[in-house]
Amino acid sequence: MVDSVTVAGIDCGTNSIRLKISRVDADGMHDIVPRILRVVRLGQDVDKTHRFADDALDRAYAAAAEFAGVLSRHHVDGLRFVATSATRDAQNRDTFEDGIESILGVRPEVIPGTEEADLSFLGATSVVSRGELQPPYLVVDLGGGSTELVLGGDGVTAPATQVQAAFSMNIGSVRMTERHLRHDPPTEEEIAEAIADVDEHIDEAFRTVPAGKARTIIGVSGTVTTMSALVLGLKEYDHRRVDGARFAMKDAYEIDDRFLRMTRDERRQYKTIHPGRIDVVGGGAIVWSRVLAKVSQAAAEDHGGVLDSYVASEHGLLDGIVLDYGRRLLAARR
């Protein structure tokens, strides 16, 4: 009987592409190659043109070729390549899929927002110790093109790690920046337009996801972890300081607002921010602040609770892809 498999997962989003190789067994994931991230901005102008730009495709192909080199040095039982928001929206996605398949030998799976939400929740909650955080958990996966809200069970009537409701919103750091924040720094009118756009999407999501029932917010993705590192005042990004740490919402609001109103040159002085996020971190900050504020308000209205903090996590969609794929391969081989 096979008791473990070695699998690789690739998560290709609107702003970045990530690779992870892990051994998966009954106890979970054991990293062989921890996350490798490259910012390729595949979703460049997709919100406006509904097509991948040639230079964006070239950047994605270059990253895929690099990943192929890494994979050649490891025996893996399977590779799953998942593409999300930008690829869902691109009319020429076949060109992208053909190019990736020629480089890596697997065709990208363009998953719907609902599956993206489920996998993000699986990844985020896979490292939550029992009793460490109070359920229900609301996982917020804030990407470049979309943001997923996923609510789990209460741990009594339904397992805390079981998804109860999910919704994928077409708002993210890249999409909001390209759609609204056209000046450097953005004008107050542009910021107001972006907030109104984000709020409309959140209100729609709340009709599907009863976010007010949440007792713990878990934020995943580069925007959340970057802004959290800035709250800590880190001079350089340190995942060990950020992963699993709890942050007060009031501190997040202050940092989000300050960096939203900075020029790009001012942001470049902060090594905490990945160079590939310099121009879009403001758009992500708006989404993050509005989600926190709206969930906090909903919690007060739903159960009179005070929800004034969140937990940042390095574990999200990519972890969910690897863990889910590994478990399915294990089940098939038993």
Side-chain angles (χ1 to χ4, degrees):
M1 182 177 70
V2 177
D3 59 5
S4 71
V5 290
T6 298
V7 297
I10 295 176
D11 160 24
C12 184
T14 300
N15 198 45
S16 61
I17 184 170
R18 303 168 172 88
L19 166 70
K20 182 185 184 77
I21 304 175
S22 299
R23 181 172 60 84
V24 177
D25 58 22
D27 296 324
M29 285 184 301
H30 313 275
D31 285 354
I32 296 171
V33 176
R35 183 184 65 183
I36 300 174
L37 178 148
R38 298 291 179 262
V39 174
V40 297
R41 193 64 58 81
L42 179 62
Q44 170 191 328
D45 293 329
V46 166
D47 187 62
K48 178 174 61 179
T49 66
H50 303 291
R51 295 183 61 82
F52 288 133
D54 290 341
D55 51 343
L57 288 170
D58 288 343
R59 292 191 296 268
Y61 296 156
E66 180 187 355
F67 290 174
V70 175
L71 288 162
S72 70
R73 298 192 289 273
H74 299 273
H75 171 75
V76 297
D77 297 300
L79 163 65
R80 188 181 187 198
F81 188 117
V82 167
T84 56
S85 177
T87 312
R88 288 194 292 264
D89 293 348
Q91 294 171 353
N92 60 337
R93 76 187 214 186
D94 285 350
T95 301
F96 167 67
E97 293 168 0
D98 291 343
I100 291 296
E101 187 173 18
S102 70
I103 297 168
L104 289 167
V106 297
R107 196 161 186 84
E109 297 179 50
V110 185
I111 63 172
T114 50
E115 183 178 358
E116 182 179 354
D118 287 349
L119 291 173
S120 294
F121 188 84
L122 173 63
T125 59
S126 66
V127 295
V128 174
S129 300
R130 192 171 186 177
E132 181 183 341
L133 300 175
Q134 184 180 6
Y137 313 130
L138 179 72
V139 171
V140 182
D141 186 351
L142 201 172
S146 68
T147 297
E148 283 65 48
L149 300 182
V150 199
L151 183 71
D154 60 7
V156 179
T157 60
T161 54
Q162 179 179 319
V163 173
Q164 298 297 301
F167 193 89
S168 181
M169 303 180 287
N170 276 331
I171 52 174
S173 60
V174 175
R175 199 182 293 268
M176 289 300 97
T177 299
E178 291 184 350
R179 188 179 294 177
H180 298 292
L181 309 182
R182 295 173 291 275
H183 289 85
D184 182 27
T187 66
E188 291 301 317
E189 182 179 4
E190 288 172 346
I191 292 171
E193 289 175 357
I195 289 173
D197 191 1
V198 169
D199 282 358
E200 183 177 342
H201 281 84
I202 296 172
D203 290 343
E204 180 186 7
F206 279 13
R207 289 193 281 273
T208 299
V209 180
K213 296 185 182 302
R215 295 300 203 276
T216 301
I217 300 173
I218 303 175
V220 303
S221 81
T223 292
V224 174
T225 54
T226 296
M227 303 314 290
S228 299
L230 292 168
V231 169
L232 289 173
L234 300 182
K235 300 301 182 186
E236 294 187 350
Y237 188 80
D238 183 350
H239 69 91
R240 295 166 299 183
R241 295 281 303 280
V242 174
D243 188 32
R246 187 180 289 275
F247 299 86
M249 288 186 188
K250 63 180 180 60
D251 294 333
Y253 298 148
E254 191 277 326
I255 286 293
D256 289 351
D257 189 66
R258 181 150 62 94
F259 280 81
L260 165 63
R261 286 174 164 76
M262 283 185 183
T263 66
R264 293 173 183 176
D265 283 342
E266 287 172 330
R267 292 177 193 154
R268 287 191 183 93
Q269 307 308 308
Y270 292 82
K271 298 189 187 315
T272 322
I273 308 174
H274 189 288
R277 300 189 193 282
I278 293 293
D279 59 333
V280 298
V281 76
I286 289 176
V287 177
W288 184 228
S289 283
R290 296 310 299 161
V291 168
L292 290 177
K294 290 248 179 201
V295 173
S296 178
Q297 179 184 356
E301 294 171 353
D302 184 271
H303 53 80
V306 177
L307 191 54
D308 58 4
S309 67
Y310 70 90
V311 175
S313 176
E314 287 274 349
H315 307 276
L317 177 58
L318 182 58
D319 296 74
I321 292 168
V322 171
L323 184 57
D324 172 72
Y325 184 42
R327 285 175 173 173
R328 288 192 285 112
L329 279 185
L330 270 177
R333 296 185 178 196
R334 283 176 176 163

